[in-house]
Amino acid sequence: MSKRQGSGSRYLYEPFDMAQARIETHERVTDERWKGLERRLNGIETMLERLEKRMWLAVYGAASLFLVNVAMAFFQPG
């Protein structure tokens, strides 16, 4: 077919590369999946940081209770 400039669809005159279209679509889907995965991983990382803070608070609380018991035993007559 001869290429005409003007009216009509370009797909009638230009070849359509199906393989390239599939590759581009696959790349877009893969990019979106990576973005979703990164978003979920960031959420998990935030939750782990919160959990770590809570764990340290529990450790410091247990250590303070132990030290208070030792101090009470030291200062009580007996």
Side-chain angles (χ1 to χ4, degrees), residues 9-57:
S9 174
R10 69 181 180 129
Y11 298 110
L12 293 175
Y13 306 107
E14 296 178 6
F16 181 69
D17 189 8
M18 185 66 165
Q20 185 63 31
R22 281 187 178 169
I23 290 171
E24 289 173 1
T25 303
H26 180 69
E27 287 174 350
R28 286 194 302 248
V29 168
T30 303
D31 288 341
E32 289 299 319
R33 285 181 179 174
W34 274 111
K35 287 177 187 176
L37 181 62
E38 287 175 352
R39 185 176 57 247
R40 288 190 298 265
L41 287 175
N42 286 335
I44 291 170
E45 186 176 345
T46 302
M47 287 190 299
L48 285 175
E49 288 173 359
R50 289 185 204 159
L51 179 63
E52 183 182 10
K53 288 178 185 178
R54 290 178 186 160
M55 292 298 292
W56 279 113
L57 184 62

